[in-house]
Amino acid sequence: MDRRNFIKSGAAVSGLSVFGSFEQVLAQTTGPIKIGLMAPLTGVLAAGGKEIVEGFTMYWESIGKKVAGRDIQIFVEDDASNPDIALQKARKLTEQNQVDFLVGNLLANTGLAVAEFAKTNGIPYFIPVIAADDLTQRSRIPNVIRVAGYTASQTSHPLGDYAYKTMGFRKIVTISQDYTFGHEQCGGLVQVFTELGGQVLNQFWNPLNTQDFSPYFAQIQAAKPDAVFVMETGADGLRFLQQWTNFGLKGKIPLLAAQNTTDQSVIRSLNSGEADGLISAAHFAEGAPNVQTQKFVAEYLIAYNHFPSIYGFSHYVAAIWIAQAIKNVAGNISNRPKFLDAIRSVVLQESPLGRPVKLDTYGNPIYDVFIRKVTKRPDGKYWNVPVETYPSVSQFWKYKPEEYLKQPPYSRAFQGIKKS
């Protein structure tokens, strides 16, 4: 039988159907892996968004954009720090670009919007800096995983402990951007602080992209606190620290900072030492002396001519984490449940942190948390150096998870403040 007659036969049609299925499976296991990366590349948080892209692509480029025999293709979209735009971009990446999974975003509200989309669509969504507590607590979504991420309150819990026990503060004021991450950073700190016996005199919530902080400064001075906890991200952090100094408050009222406020994305733009000496808490400190951290910092400096921020670091580590999971399933990520299980079971041995990292049973990494101090290097640049370490900090701090989850999530209405 010649080939033309064979193709006309029913057996051949059936054979072609099987062959077509084989081709489809082959493409799913040997073709390129498509990744949708979202970041705010315009607006007040554009500096952090740029570093999301830097850190994520840096790792893939270091391994030739190939893992488990499959090429890596990265599609980048600007979420503009806007939940509606983030949702549009998630749909575009999923439906038009047909990416295999989504990664990124920066603001909690954009991440929450994309998480809801992923919940409905089923696409895996990995969140290295979206820190909304409830995504790994009360509102867990099976296909939304905090790969190399953290909860907003995870690092501020130990800072509340440090402020009371080590720094000896008893009365504080907080000032923060008025959105989920700010609410939760403040809530984590003040719950621990007040349970130890501290008092919160007042809390101020400023809108994103605040141009003038002086009205808040006047009220802070009037309250006469022992210290102020500040949570400002991006350009707001830059303006706050500059205006705090210009207002004459630096050195008069001690500042405690959220990790974002003394992040490299902020402090590298300061040239008069406005951040010098500030204490913050984070699971990453670019000035940590261990070999793995300093190797990463040196390589990042060569690649981009600046130190890594929390955004670049987190997405670099996320890429390592994802690559390890892809290797563990031999490149077959088309089986989403199997791939997600592989993501959850990764124990990250090799990373810039210099210690193993794994997820807790709720899907959030457990980290050593550093109390950091902004310090001037011999070359005149500033970076965050650890002064104390809280080992193996859970997203639940020292609380029992089942008891902790009975309280509401931190918000403007609930800050976990124990009444004296």
Side-chain angles (χ1 to χ4, degrees), residues 81-135:
S81 297
N82 183 301
D84 293 332
I85 293 175
L87 182 57
Q88 292 171 15
K89 296 302 177 69
R91 285 184 175 138
K92 175 184 181 295
L93 289 165
T94 303
E95 297 167 7
Q96 296 182 31
N97 300 114
Q98 297 186 325
V99 299
D100 294 291
F101 52 85
L102 300 169
V103 182
N105 301 110
L106 193 157
L107 280 181
N109 55 4
T110 58
L112 289 168
V114 175
E116 282 302 310
F117 167 78
K119 181 179 180 179
T120 302
N121 179 276
I123 190 167
Y125 175 39
F126 305 131
I127 48 173
V129 296
I130 296 301
D133 285 8
D134 258 3
L135 285 175

Side-chain angles (χ1 to χ4, degrees), residues 129-395:
V129 296
I130 296 301
D133 285 8
D134 258 3
L135 285 175
T136 50
Q137 293 179 14
R138 302 163 190 84
S139 304
R140 298 189 299 281
I141 300 170
N143 54 309
V144 178
I145 303 179
R146 192 163 268 137
V147 172
Y150 50 92
T151 63
S153 59
Q154 186 171 1
T155 57
S156 59
H157 281 137
L159 188 57
D161 185 85
Y162 187 81
Y164 189 90
K165 293 181 180 178
T166 302
M167 303 192 79
F169 300 139
R170 295 296 180 263
K171 297 180 179 181
I172 64 169
V173 166
T174 72
I175 179 167
S176 169
Q177 290 165 316
D178 192 7
Y179 74 109
T180 304
F181 184 75
H183 304 156
E184 293 177 342
Q185 277 265 306
C186 289
L189 180 138
V190 302
Q191 177 162 3
V192 172
F193 185 75
T194 57
E195 286 178 353
L196 289 170
Q199 182 182 359
V200 177
L201 302 175
N202 208 339
Q203 293 191 279
F204 300 102
W205 309 103
N206 59 276
L208 286 169
N209 205 22
T210 293
Q211 300 296 315
D212 181 11
F213 287 94
S214 60
Y216 300 106
F217 294 163
Q219 295 178 77
I220 289 171
Q221 279 186 299
K224 298 181 179 179
D226 296 336
V228 174
F229 173 68
V230 54
M231 203 309 290
E232 303 291 341
T233 298
D236 281 351
L238 184 66
R239 284 190 289 265
F240 180 95
L241 293 177
Q242 289 172 331
Q243 292 174 28
W244 182 263
T245 300
N246 294 338
F247 209 76
L249 295 178
K250 180 174 171 56
K252 290 186 178 180
I253 303 176
L255 273 183
L256 297 172
Q259 63 183 27
N260 300 60
T261 306
T262 66
D263 185 64
Q264 276 294 328
S265 58
V266 173
I267 66 174
R268 76 167 68 100
S269 298
L270 299 170
N271 53 22
S272 300
E274 292 97 334
D276 192 17
L278 284 185
I279 295 293
S280 64
H283 63 287
F284 174 64
E286 67 275 18
N290 71 75
V291 173
Q292 295 92 333
T293 298
Q294 286 313 301
K295 180 177 181 293
F296 168 67
V297 169
E299 291 173 352
Y300 203 99
L301 187 60
I302 291 170
Y304 300 113
N305 198 34
H306 57 75
F307 295 131
S309 69
I310 190 68
Y311 312 114
F313 158 78
S314 295
H315 283 78
Y316 181 90
V317 176
I320 301 175
W321 195 302
I322 293 166
Q324 184 60 57
I326 293 171
K327 290 176 187 176
N328 291 348
V329 295
N332 183 8
I333 65 169
S334 59
N335 183 330
R336 284 179 175 174
K338 186 176 180 181
F339 177 49
L340 290 169
D341 283 344
I343 288 284
R344 293 187 193 96
S345 63
V346 165
V347 178
L348 204 63
Q349 300 288 349
E350 302 294 331
S351 85
L353 288 172
R355 66 176 297 275
V357 179
K358 64 179 181 179
L359 300 178
D360 64 17
T361 56
Y362 291 80
N364 190 76
I366 299 169
Y367 293 114
D368 289 352
V369 170
F370 301 117
I371 304 299
R372 317 179 303 179
K373 184 177 182 179
V374 177
T375 304
K376 190 175 184 178
R377 293 161 39 102
D379 62 5
K381 295 183 174 66
Y382 289 90
W383 64 357
N384 290 281
V385 175
V387 295
E388 188 164 323
T389 302
Y390 285 77
S392 301
V393 175
S394 158
Q395 62 176 322

